Amino acid sequence: MAHSYRRILVKLSGEALMAPDGYWLHPQTLAQLAEDLARATRGGFEIALVIGGGNIIRGARMSAAGWIDRPTADSMGMLATVMNSLALETALNAAGVSARTMSAVSMPTICETYARQPALHHLDKGQVLVLAGGTGNPFFTTDTSAVLRAAELHCHAVLKATQVDGVYSADPKTNPEAIRYDHITHDEAIARDLKIMDTAAFALARESRLPVIVGCVHAPSSITAILEGTAPSTLVAP
Ligand code: UDP
């Protein structure tokens, strides 16, 4: 089923940029993602992107070791998202798309500081927005940033990229009986304890009545295919 949403916030985890040998960044993967996003914009979709930093640092895990406090580790995590965002902005520009990084953490010599009105203006002009620096606050994740920015930038849906092509009744890697849902509500996802995003992010999506499309973007052109309904995905919507 083709989705009727036009302005989409795409949430990629930092791990989506990693090389097969574990190096934090893989230029070929970046180029493939950028090409896919370029195709989506040519197809009329307006795209805002949030990239995590988990390929470099996750604050909660780092601070659990005990030698660094959580807010400092989270600051490092937010900086990691800026590095990923600049890499993706570069790949998007190379793919012929005008892309603009805006960071919630102010660093004006490196990129624009996030502000809602200029961000809306960039989107209205057809630029791809790369939203870096998370929410700018510790103790949050980029899933929460994705939902927050989607809600404030009038995005019609969040496309949450995962390792599997949707939301399943059980882990499809270990349970052959697992079935993929085509459509579930936010309330059903919570009642069945389906982990789609972290709790804070998902609560905000539910409160904002924001649709979340869950799919896998590993294959070439999969972002466009999910949005056009030719690749499998799960729609979480009221
Ligand atoms: N982070 C943060 N505040 C935010 C977003 C992110 O402190 O609003 C930090 C946090 O340490 C997080 C890290 O940045 O672990 C990387 O983001 P995330 O874990 O969401 O990345 P992903 O798992 O999507 O790659």
Side-chain angles (χ1 to χ4, degrees):
M1 178 193 69
H3 295 294
S4 57
Y5 311 116
R6 195 184 73 259
R7 179 171 290 183
I8 310 286
L9 191 140
V10 179
K11 164 70 209 312
L12 301 170
S13 76
E15 282 167 0
L17 309 184
M18 286 177 84
D21 67 2
Y23 189 66
W24 69 281
L25 204 61
H26 191 230
Q28 291 87 335
T29 300
L30 268 179
Q32 181 184 304
L33 282 168
E35 194 46 58
D36 196 356
L37 290 161
R39 190 170 293 123
T41 58
R42 287 197 295 270
F45 293 102
E46 297 171 5
I47 304 285
L49 280 166
V50 168
I51 314 160
N55 54 331
I56 305 169
I57 289 169
R58 287 205 177 91
R61 194 176 305 161
M62 194 177 190
S63 60
W67 65 274
I68 188 166
D69 66 7
R70 175 77 186 266
T72 309
D74 279 343
S75 295
M76 293 163 76
M78 288 186 270
L79 292 174
T81 71
V82 179
M83 296 205 288
N84 286 336
S85 297
L86 293 174
L88 201 58
E89 180 197 72
T90 303
L92 282 162
N93 288 329
V97 176
S98 174
R100 193 66 82 96
T101 299
M102 297 185 98
S103 171
V105 180
S106 180
M107 44 180 86
T109 53
I110 292 181
C111 61
E112 239 175 284
T113 303
Y114 175 78
R116 182 169 169 266
Q117 292 299 348
L120 282 168
H121 185 65
H122 293 325
L123 275 178
D124 289 340
K125 280 198 317 192
Q127 288 192 307
V128 171
L129 263 190
V130 188
L131 297 162
T135 63
N137 298 290
F139 299 102
F140 288 102
T141 66
T142 51
D143 277 357
T144 304
S145 335
V147 175
L148 176 66
R149 298 295 182 235
E152 64 180 338
L153 297 175
H154 308 304
C155 294
H156 303 123
V158 171
L159 168 55
K160 159 91 177 160
T162 62
Q163 300 292 325
V164 283
D165 60 3
V167 181
Y168 282 76
S169 56
D171 184 351
K173 287 184 182 138
T174 54
N175 187 342
E177 311 278 290
I179 54 149
R180 184 176 52 77
Y181 302 108
D182 281 332
H183 180 189
I184 53 168
T185 66
H186 296 85
D187 289 338
E188 284 165 345
I190 290 170
R192 293 181 198 174
D193 199 24
L194 302 170
K195 304 259 182 289
I196 293 164
M197 295 176 154
D198 64 71
T199 316
F202 200 70
L204 184 57
R206 179 169 72 156
E207 195 188 315
S208 315
R209 302 179 65 77
L210 185 71
V212 180
I213 305 163
V214 181
C216 177
V217 302
H218 288 329
S221 304
S222 44
I223 295 174
T224 321
I226 291 168
L227 295 178
E228 291 178 345
T230 55
S233 65
T234 296
L235 174 63
V236 187

